[in-house]
Amino acid sequence: MTQALDEIKIGGLGASRRRVEDNRFIRGKGNYIDDITLPGMLHMEILRSPVAHARIRAIDTSKAWNIPGVRLVLTGEMMATRNLAWMPTLSYDTQAVLATDKVRFQGQEVACVVADDPYVAKDACEAIVVDYEPLPVIVNPEQAMAPDAPLIRDDKENQVDNVAFHWQVGDKASTERAFAEADVVSRISMHYPRSHPSPIECCGSIADFDRATGKLTVYMTSQAPHIVRAAVAMVAELPEHMIRIISPDIGGGFGNKVPIYPGYVMSILASILTERPVKWIEDKTGNLISTGFGRDVYLDGELALRRDGRILAVRMHTTSDHGAFFGDAQPSKFKIGLMHSAFACYDVPHAHLTATGVYTNKAPGGVAYRCSFRVTEAMYFQERMIQAAADDLGMDQAEFRRVNLVRDEDFPHRTAFGFLTDSGQYGRCLDVALEAIGYADFRKQQEEAREQGRLLGLGISTMTEPLGAGNSREYDILGIKMFDSAELRVHLTGRAILRTGARTQGQGHETTWAQIVAHELGIPADDVVVEEGDTDTAPFGMGTYASRSTPVAGAAVSMAARKVRAKARKLAAHLLEVSEEDVEWELGRFYVRSAPDRGATIQECAMAAYANMPDGLEPGLEASAYYDPPNLTWPFACYVVTVEVDPETGVWDVLNVVGVDDCGVRINPMVVEGQIMGGLTEAYAMACVQFITFDAAGNCIGSNYLDYLLPTAWETPGFELHEVVTPCPHHPLGAKGVGECATVGGPAAFVNAVMDAIKPYGVRNVDMPLLPDRVYEAISQRHDVSGAPPVKVD
Amino acid sequence: MSPLFEEIVEDPAAAEVPTRRVAITVNGQRRVAEVEPRLLLAHLLRQGLRLTGTHTGCDTTNCGACTVLFDGEPIKSCTMLAVQADGHEVTTVEGLSSMSELSPVQEGFKDEHGLQCGFCTPGMMMAATALLKANPNPTEEDIRWALSGNLCRCTGYQNIVKAVLWAAAKLRGEEPTHDGAA
């Protein structure tokens, strides 16, 4: 008789286990960066450039130094004497820490003040006088690529224009042949506007350099603390073992907290100089105006089509606006991220993508905000192109997709851009979504409504996306391969501590990683404590972004636990006095194959590892695993949105939102659904209100919450969620990433719905955000509305 | 709040900053502090009184992460000066419960997965607590309106609405229902 544990009861795989991190957060006992106070701690504030492009003639800091309580004023010149005025970016470019020669975007860091009190530091920033000589400003790619455009990056040798890179992928010749043979060529141009991840908690750091030990400890809002440690070691020329990066509780990241920002570097130097801890907490304006934005990509897309609805080829050209420094946080081989994942869910034989990146007088960034390395753009463009092509062919939206989706039996599927997708049931996913929304009924209602002058619309977005970068052959950041890791130590009482190289920012790792251990070992999840973010204690990992945690670190947790189980088997054989081959495993317990009543629990094995190990076996019960994933995971989804547009105002209301996600095996369904709802809200926000734009002088419009709008509970629609489960064949748990799916796939569903509603007006495209005045213009003028929303200047 | 001693700053100008003594009842306890008139209440709570559950998420009074109860009413503590709180009662997230016993709102947020990164949570729960005091039987629409001064970037609000409905049921003495439970 065996007595296998009930996996759900012990909080294992598939349990909607309530989150352990909630216990402190709901009591106000989280430990976020600004909650930390160290003895003797000073406060740093940054002075930012009020102009977008200007030579710095002089900086006078004398008045700031004279304010009581001011301990240090840093300028670019002082940083330069320590070779810290510039720092490397994650895309092999350089970024100014403090401007020396000139400023290149509004909000750029020009000086900083360290004082006893943050209020005093702010006073002192205002007392600094900077003499600027204005230069012509570039705010869009067209201006950047004009023949007589002023050079933004005159600091770089051999930089003759404002082009950051040219890049291409796919087969140009075969794609051209396919286009020559097409019955119909469908074309569309679009802009995915600049937005910002805008976590509610801004970025910050506390640097604490101890002169006596030579050790630098930095508390920092970082999604990838180990990469930061490596970068600080290289930039500050401190040895890695003397650098400790601690990423405490993070109030949301969304990709905003992957890069290394000038403020972090300044706080480190300030601590080294003052020999006291220095805290820097940016305000919301600093966050929105200077830290990693998302998107800002223009697309010219073409589909070669056969009359019967088959897609023969896709051709895409993207022009991306990277701001003044090419700082995209992405794998080094891919200049426009994984944009070439576009059309991965469709069986498209030929594809070619060219990309041009340009410098403009704006803050750097680009890869952030649940984009999975530009996949948000890829899937948005894909699904908008699909809708336009179906309209051009006069085909039903769902039917056109169904004709072209990769079929279930064709996995693994090699895409025309070279990716290998792992598994999928795309057609079923689409069917579940259409069933839930009541597709046929809605089309009837839409017809009836049109006769009454009401505009109903339905938008579909089907997609798959590459998550879990990634295998060491293709994916690295600054040369470091994109593996991840876990270390599991089982204590003698059978409780355990687990640390990984990932870094949660609210995604629930402390809860879900313990569930994997419970699944692998039968140790109740409540008996496993999970820690991340301290580079002195956690194993080296590449951090959490691009939904890579479950695919990579989650796999590592499984592998480490399996190593522990393998050793526990030896201990069980010793305890049961049989050979290892005679020992069977069931959840939480080994037993003798011929006598199932004779067993040893995992807890008994743990005790034996410390108190009764067999001769020759190393004491202790722990293991680590560094996991180099064999492939990316390819979750997929179908989002369907219905809307009603008011033709008199351009205001559109969401009627229903259905989301069907397939992320393979769900570790914690409750947490997965929370991720999807948050992601859908970001998708809705981008579709309807969110954007950052610039006026002709380079002034950033969207540098605070009055201009940069986030939906509240009042505007945000309700979501109806469903699931399909197609396990990942190469992941130890069959799980795929999911955190970014809804933000990646969601926006096109909202925009497609509005476009579907206003199709009778002959409108083909309105670029996001679909503000009422833009939709009204499209309806009343019967034309497309393109580009960044214009800024009205009185 | 009163320190055992205060560091004497060398520059005499520093000592000339005018301060005012305020007495505020925070979470039922009378706290006295010497503050500059320009000090924001949020900063007094966080830095002065070390009640760091109250967060600051923006600089334009939009996000509501700093929401506390001021004489029982929800206010954004980033938009009130500490001196204005003199003689008043303030309740922060730390005052919602004892370490051993959670308030129904706190329980509801945990049970319905109404939080992820946790940064908006204290402010969100304070606004919800005030709502349920004024309206023990709110509709979903009532809840969405009452919480529209509180931004959340993680949850999409749906589970927050469920959390408040859960808490409302519990406060009315009913058995709260929830979905997605193991």
Side-chain angles (χ1 to χ4, degrees):
Chain A
M1 281 298 291
T2 65
Q3 316 138 10
L5 294 168
D6 181 331
E7 176 159 0
I8 298 297
K9 279 193 184 145
I10 64 164
L13 200 63
S16 282
R17 180 180 183 225
R18 297 305 187 261
R19 300 195 331 157
V20 293
E21 39 275 77
D22 290 3
N23 295 330
R24 60 181 188 276
F25 293 156
I26 58 177
R27 290 178 168 92
K29 295 294 179 187
N31 189 37
Y32 303 91
I33 186 80
D34 196 25
D35 302 344
I36 298 168
T37 298
L38 300 179
M41 188 172 78
L42 301 172
H43 299 267
M44 185 183 104
E45 290 284 336
I46 293 173
L47 176 69
R48 300 178 180 281
S49 171
V51 292
H53 200 192
R55 204 156 294 287
I56 296 176
R57 286 206 198 94
I59 302 178
D60 180 359
T61 59
S62 55
K63 283 197 183 72
W65 277 108
N66 287 334
I67 291 176
V70 168
R71 305 278 175 162
L72 182 67
V73 183
L74 282 176
T75 62
E77 225 168 88
M78 296 161 73
M79 299 296 282
T81 62
R82 288 161 184 89
N83 210 18
L84 286 172
W86 292 79
M87 63 178 180
T89 72
L90 296 176
S91 276
Y92 292 101
D93 194 3
T94 49
Q95 174 176 356
V97 176
L98 281 176
T100 47
D101 48 346
K102 62 180 191 178
V103 290
R104 291 172 173 83
F105 69 91
Q106 186 187 51
Q108 190 181 335
E109 299 81 358
V110 173
C112 76
V113 174
V114 177
D116 292 341
D117 176 292
Y119 284 62
V120 172
K122 263 200 185 106
D123 291 343
C125 278
E126 288 181 9
I128 297 171
V129 182
V130 186
D131 184 4
Y132 294 103
E133 176 191 331
L135 295 168
V137 173
I138 291 171
V139 293
N140 64 47
E142 203 182 322
Q143 292 172 351
M145 291 188 289
D148 56 344
L151 199 57
I152 295 172
R153 295 301 302 278
D154 50 352
D155 58 293
K156 291 179 80 175
E157 271 180 50
N158 306 323
Q159 182 77 34
V160 296
D161 55 21
N162 291 316
V163 174
F165 65 83
H166 290 293
W167 194 76
Q168 64 167 315
V169 62
D171 187 332
K172 186 170 187 238
S174 76
T175 303
E176 275 174 6
R177 280 197 298 278
F179 269 86
E181 289 160 14
D183 295 330
V184 176
V185 173
S186 193
R187 295 189 175 86
I188 191 167
S189 294
M190 289 177 279
H191 178 228
Y192 204 134
R194 177 176 284 234
S195 60
H196 196 283
S198 186
I200 301 282
E201 182 206 37
C202 298
C203 298
S205 57
I206 304 168
D208 184 11
F209 179 67
D210 185 334
R211 177 75 63 197
T213 60
K215 184 145 185 171
L216 172 69
T217 303
V218 191
Y219 302 81
M220 186 189 287
T221 49
S222 177
Q223 296 176 226
H226 287 93
I227 302 181
V228 171
R229 184 181 64 184
V232 170
M234 289 185 254
V235 174
E237 291 176 0
L238 287 164
E240 228 178 322
H241 67 299
M242 285 294 169
I243 303 168
R244 181 182 189 186
I245 308 293
I246 300 173
S247 183
D249 287 330
I250 302 179
F254 313 111
N256 186 236
K257 293 167 180 169
V258 178
I260 296 166
Y261 293 120
Y264 301 152
V265 179
M266 287 180 250
S267 69
I268 290 170
L269 180 61
S271 179
I272 291 171
L273 294 177
T274 60
E275 299 187 15
R276 285 171 66 170
V278 174
K279 177 190 267 192
W280 165 62
I281 305 294
E282 73 187 355
D283 57 17
K284 188 59 58 187
T285 301
N287 182 255
L288 285 167
I289 206 170
S290 75
T291 64
F293 70 93
R295 331 288 188 249
D296 214 349
V297 181
Y298 296 79
L299 170 84
D300 292 305
E302 294 175 288
L303 281 174
L305 303 162
R306 216 162 59 188
R307 187 71 63 195
D308 65 2
R310 283 307 300 258
I311 304 170
L312 302 175
V314 58
R315 194 151 55 191
M316 302 170 80
H317 177 74
T318 61
T319 307
S320 44
D321 183 338
H322 296 264
F325 311 104
F326 182 29
D328 295 38
Q330 63 192 358
S332 62
K333 289 184 179 66
F334 305 97
K335 296 299 175 199
I336 191 69
L338 305 183
M339 186 74 79
H340 55 306
S341 60
F343 292 90
C345 68
Y346 298 107
D347 189 5
V348 178
H350 306 287
H352 189 233
L353 166 73
T354 53
T356 302
V358 299
Y359 292 117
T360 59
N361 290 119
K362 303 179 185 175
V367 168
Y369 203 11
R370 275 183 161 137
C371 80
S372 319
F373 307 128
R374 300 281 184 191
V375 182
T376 318
E377 291 93 312
M379 294 307 146
Y380 177 74
F381 292 148
Q382 165 195 301
E383 284 306 292
R384 293 285 299 118
M385 288 168 75
I386 286 284
Q387 170 148 324
D391 287 347
D392 289 348
L393 289 168
M395 270 184 84
D396 173 75
Q397 290 295 330
E399 188 54 26
F400 181 63
R401 286 178 170 81
R402 205 172 271 122
V403 165
N404 287 292
L405 286 172
V406 175
R407 290 168 307 175
D408 301 359
E409 58 270 29
D410 290 343
F411 290 97
H413 178 257
R414 181 71 65 181
T415 78
F417 281 120
F419 286 109
L420 191 68
T421 56
D422 59 353
S423 62
Q425 300 181 71
Y426 303 153
R428 186 162 159 231
C429 188
L430 174 64
D431 290 342
V432 171
L434 295 180
E435 168 78 25
I437 204 90
Y439 189 64
D441 274 359
F442 186 86
R443 287 300 183 201
K444 271 186 229 133
Q445 285 172 38
Q446 188 179 28
E447 279 308 309
E448 289 163 18
R450 267 187 196 149
E451 283 160 25
Q452 302 158 7
R454 288 170 57 221
L455 302 174
L456 299 187
L458 181 145
I460 304 173
S461 178
T462 47
M463 63 101 188
T464 184
E465 67 157 327
L467 298 179
N471 73 69
S472 56
R473 297 180 309 282
E474 292 174 282
Y475 300 100
D476 67 270
I477 286 184
L478 298 178
I480 307 166
K481 306 299 185 183
M482 294 185 73
F483 57 85
D484 225 291
S485 59
E487 269 180 24
L488 176 63
R489 182 183 308 160
V490 183
H491 304 320
L492 60 89
T493 56
R495 273 78 172 186
I497 180 163
L498 173 81
R499 296 189 178 103
T500 86
R503 184 54 184 128
T504 190
Q505 316 120 44
Q507 298 94 327
H509 294 179
E510 290 173 48
T511 300
T512 53
W513 293 162
Q515 294 184 247
I516 297 177
V517 175
H519 169 71
E520 297 289 358
L521 295 176
I523 294 175
D526 286 346
D527 287 350
V528 182
V529 69
V530 176
E531 291 180 359
E532 292 177 341
D534 183 338
T535 58
D536 265 11
T537 57
F540 191 102
M542 294 300 272
T544 293
Y545 42 86
S547 306
R548 65 188 302 278
S549 295
T550 292
V552 195
V557 174
S558 253
M559 302 315 274
R562 288 175 192 184
K563 287 185 190 175
V564 164
R565 196 167 72 205
K567 182 171 183 184
R569 178 184 293 275
K570 293 184 195 300
L571 291 156
H574 169 67
L575 289 175
L576 298 168
E577 298 176 323
V578 293
S579 75
E580 231 185 298
E581 293 73 44
D582 295 329
V583 170
E584 290 284 327
W585 167 256
E586 64 182 2
L587 190 63
R589 176 177 178 269
F590 293 98
Y591 60 90
V592 180
R593 185 178 303 122
S594 55
D597 285 347
R598 283 187 59 212
T601 64
I602 188 74
Q603 289 82 5
E604 287 163 345
C605 293
M607 182 58 83
Y610 297 87
N612 177 19
M613 55 280 188
D615 288 345
L617 192 70
E618 189 182 342
L621 187 58
E622 59 187 80
S624 68
Y626 284 68
Y627 187 80
D628 181 3
N631 191 4
L632 302 165
T633 69
W634 294 80
F636 53 96
C638 179
Y639 305 106
V640 182
V641 171
T642 54
V643 298
E644 175 158 8
V645 180
D646 182 344
E648 304 294 317
T649 60
V651 170
W652 50 281
D653 289 318
V654 175
L655 304 175
N656 280 300
V657 180
V658 167
V660 184
D661 278 83
D662 186 331
C663 54
V665 172
R666 293 187 173 194
I667 298 167
N668 181 325
M670 177 191 83
V671 167
V672 168
E673 292 199 348
Q675 288 293 301
I676 295 167
M677 289 191 281
L680 279 171
T681 305
E682 291 180 348
Y684 170 68
M686 276 180 280
C688 68
V689 284
Q690 260 179 22
F691 67 102
I692 290 180
T693 191
F694 294 79
D695 68 12
N699 292 307
C700 175
I701 314 299
S703 61
N704 59 59
Y705 277 170
L706 298 171
D707 292 333
Y708 188 68
L709 303 181
L710 305 177
T712 73
W714 186 246
E715 295 88 18
T716 305
F719 308 115
E720 178 185 331
L721 304 184
H722 298 267
E723 68 169 348
V724 174
V725 178
T726 313
C728 173
H730 63 75
H731 186 278
L733 299 168
K736 305 184 182 188
V738 70
E740 295 166 328
C741 289
T743 305
V744 165
F750 288 98
V751 176
N752 281 346
V754 176
M755 291 303 112
D756 184 56
I758 65 175
K759 199 163 72 173
Y761 295 88
V763 178
R764 197 176 164 76
N765 184 50
V766 177
D767 277 338
M768 293 190 289
L770 301 180
L771 302 169
D773 59 331
R774 287 158 79 80
V775 176
Y776 180 72
E777 182 187 334
I779 293 170
S780 59
Q781 308 296 313
R782 294 175 177 262
H783 64 203
D784 289 5
V785 179
S786 307
V791 174
K792 294 180 182 68
V793 182
D794 295 328
Chain B
M1 175 56 193
S2 57
L4 288 176
F5 64 90
E6 209 168 305
E7 184 185 0
I8 296 164
V9 180
E10 286 163 30
D11 192 318
E16 289 167 17
V17 176
T19 60
R20 215 185 105 183
R21 179 167 295 233
V22 295
I24 310 172
T25 304
V26 180
N27 299 331
Q29 201 184 343
R30 189 165 181 272
R31 309 294 291 267
V32 179
E34 201 70 39
V35 300
E36 281 187 51
R38 64 173 176 171
L39 184 73
L40 297 174
L41 177 58
H43 293 154
L44 174 68
L45 294 171
R46 287 181 49 76
Q47 274 93 51
L49 305 184
R50 302 298 307 142
L51 295 168
T52 54
T54 301
H55 298 143
T56 52
C58 75
D59 45 20
T60 46
T61 318
N62 295 84
C63 83
C66 64
T67 304
V68 299
L69 300 184
F70 186 79
D71 296 335
E73 293 294 317
I75 59 128
K76 294 179 178 178
S77 62
C78 76
T79 312
M80 179 177 275
L81 299 168
V83 290
Q84 290 176 285
D86 187 23
H88 292 271
E89 279 187 32
V90 171
T91 309
T92 70
V93 63
E94 291 89 348
L96 277 184
S97 62
S98 63
M99 266 297 158
S100 56
E101 201 172 338
L102 296 171
S103 81
V105 170
Q106 290 170 306
E107 276 187 279
F109 270 71
K110 177 169 178 174
D111 203 71
E112 294 289 359
H113 188 31
L115 63 148
Q116 291 179 25
C117 81
F119 204 73
C120 77
T121 310
M124 200 66 86
M125 292 193 307
M126 299 317 287
T129 300
L131 166 70
L132 294 181
K133 194 159 185 219
N135 179 0
N137 197 7
T139 64
E140 174 173 339
E141 207 171 55
D142 294 335
I143 295 166
R144 285 182 177 269
W145 184 248
L147 300 184
S148 64
N150 294 74
L151 293 171
C152 169
R153 293 294 280 153
C154 295
T155 65
Y157 302 107
Q158 193 153 313
N159 282 350
I160 289 176
V161 173
K162 283 189 195 169
V164 180
L165 288 169
W166 193 103
K170 180 90 186 262
L171 281 164
R172 291 193 304 264
E174 300 159 18
E175 185 64 34
T177 56
H178 53 73
D179 45 30

